[in-house]
DNA sequence: TTGTGGTTTCAAAAAGATTTGAAATAACTT
DNA sequence: AAGTTATTTCAAATCTTTTTGAAACCACAA
């Protein structure tokens, strides 16, 4: 792989870093990449961003989220499941209600993405 | 909106924070949400995560990225355009080559998502 | 100016995500 | 047990993103 033609400046810099092989070895492993992608996917919808920020401020049952946003229950439930599968939120039962709240990761992520 | 039935604990906590209206007013505005979503979408594909991390370690021309990953040029080009549109990478021309490298935002994001 | 190599653009096909409303669950109340 | 309320699940329809290969574009060299 080192015999391809590229600009000298890059060939130099690359050599100083151990070549393309060294770069490839330093890339995150597949499991790490899948985790990042799963969280990023969960964040890539405005509905879910709003829900995540709202839960960050205040744990809520689904009916409150539904009242707040005007979305159908099934829609809200779908988006909550996406957030849950990527470990950004979790839920506890309170009588008849399911109360959703952010995980530690969810809180960390909310604080980070505010600065994007 | 305050006459819906929710668990007492939540009604209390919520009242202490100014009610649902106060929460809604503290949500990020639409522009901020669109920015977050755009960056998150760019991060929500394993190809682009690998490319972003590689460029973080070393600016590269497209041909090097293609050699490194084994993807077709058109595919790489598509993914680079997604990263570029969300302002995570940019490029400069070097003779015949286009050299891609992360923006400030791109570098910041790489450092953050390593911890996800 | 013609050719060559690096890169992007395009359109069609394939794959994946979201929305919808209806039906199913699950926990409580009577 | 039967009814009520909160929530999830399901399947179909719709919408968006990704992949593919071919063609176009652009900078440089002969």
């Amino acid at each position: 792989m080192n015999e391809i033609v590229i600009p000298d400046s890059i060939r130099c810099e690359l050599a100083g870093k151990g070549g393309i092989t060294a770069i490839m070895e330093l890339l995150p492993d597949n499991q790490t990449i899948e985790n990042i992608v799963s969280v990023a996917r969960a964040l890539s919808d405005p509905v879910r961003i709003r829900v995540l920020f709202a839960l960050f401020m205040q744990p809520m049952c689904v009916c409150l989220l539904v009242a707040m946003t005007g979305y159908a229950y099934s829609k809200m439930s779908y988006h909550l499941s996406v957030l849950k599968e990527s470990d950004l939120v979790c839920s506890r039962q309170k009588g008849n209600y399911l109360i959703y709240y952010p995980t530690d990761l969810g809180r960390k992520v909310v604080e980070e993405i505010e600065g994007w």
Side-chain angles (χ1 to χ4, degrees), chain A residues 38-39 41-45 47-53 55 65 76-90 100-103 105-106 109:
Chain A
S38 149
V39 170
R41 249 196 254 287
L43 296 172
S44 64
D45 183 295
V47 176
R48 292 193 292 262
I49 295 294
R50 266 180 261 273
V51 168
L52 183 61
F53 272 85
L55 295 178
L65 287 166
M76 186 54 73
S77 194
Y78 166 71
H79 287 291
L80 286 169
S81 79
V82 174
L83 288 167
K84 198 173 201 172
E85 269 161 28
S86 59
D87 192 35
L88 291 170
V89 308
C90 54
Y100 280 86
Y101 57 98
T103 60
L105 176 62
V109 163

Side-chain angles (χ1 to χ4, degrees), chain A residues 60-116:
Chain A
M60 297 188 196
C61 51
V62 182
C63 54
L64 188 46
L65 287 166
V66 160
M68 188 180 97
T69 59
Y71 300 133
Y73 267 98
S74 58
K75 187 171 171 174
M76 186 54 73
S77 194
Y78 166 71
H79 287 291
L80 286 169
S81 79
V82 174
L83 288 167
K84 198 173 201 172
E85 269 161 28
S86 59
D87 192 35
L88 291 170
V89 308
C90 54
S91 61
R92 63 171 183 273
Q93 193 126 14
K94 178 104 188 178
N96 216 352
Y97 299 85
L98 266 181
I99 299 184
Y100 280 86
Y101 57 98
T103 60
D104 288 349
L105 176 62
R107 274 184 284 272
K108 181 174 165 188
V109 163
V110 164
E111 279 159 358
E112 285 173 357
I113 65 183
E114 274 174 325
W116 285 4

Side-chain angles (χ1 to χ4, degrees), chain A residues 3-21:
Chain A
E3 58 298 336
I4 79 163
V5 183
I6 55 175
D8 279 350
S9 60
I10 293 199
R11 179 176 302 283
C12 269
E13 289 167 17
L14 197 51
K17 288 167 183 162
I20 195 70
T21 340

